[in-house]
Amino acid sequence: VEHRLTVQNGQENIVKIWLEPWGDVVTLDPGEALVVISVGPSGNGLQLELRDNEYVVYAWRGSVLSIVEPSGKVVWESPVASP
């Protein structure tokens, strides 16, 4: 199953996107958009939590994540599937 989610920063400051369960972070400049792509077995799907000036993306068990620019350039990829 594949899920895609576009995250756009409409604020005037840099926003962090935490990628769980890996604990990695990517940054999103003002006006920038990134696409979160998750692939894995049937399950709960992606979850997105908004906190002060940051997002937290939660993957589900057995899934992998990729973060890409709208152009398709890969910014980040999960090293292993979510436990």
Side-chain angles (χ1 to χ4, degrees), residues 7-17 26-34:
V7 180
Q8 184 161 352
N9 182 1
Q11 300 183 39
E12 295 180 4
N13 52 336
I14 293 173
V15 171
K16 293 179 180 178
I17 302 175
V26 296
T27 57
L28 192 58
D29 292 330
E32 183 181 21
L34 293 173

Side-chain angles (χ1 to χ4, degrees), residues 5 7-20 23-29 36 47-58:
L5 174 68
V7 180
Q8 184 161 352
N9 182 1
Q11 300 183 39
E12 295 180 4
N13 52 336
I14 293 173
V15 171
K16 293 179 180 178
I17 302 175
W18 289 93
L19 307 165
E20 297 296 346
D24 289 344
V25 66
V26 296
T27 57
L28 192 58
D29 292 330
V36 180
Q47 293 183 355
L48 178 68
E49 179 181 339
L50 176 61
R51 297 182 182 170
D52 293 333
N53 294 323
E54 61 185 24
Y55 296 98
V56 183
V57 175
Y58 296 95

Side-chain angles (χ1 to χ4, degrees), residues 30-76:
E32 183 181 21
L34 293 173
V35 180
V36 180
I37 303 169
S38 61
V39 179
S42 295
N44 295 332
L46 278 177
Q47 293 183 355
L48 178 68
E49 179 181 339
L50 176 61
R51 297 182 182 170
D52 293 333
N53 294 323
E54 61 185 24
Y55 296 98
V56 183
V57 175
Y58 296 95
W60 72 98
R61 185 180 183 107
S63 66
V64 294
L65 288 182
S66 296
I67 308 297
V68 299
E69 295 177 353
S71 67
K73 179 183 174 189
V74 176
V75 175
W76 182 91

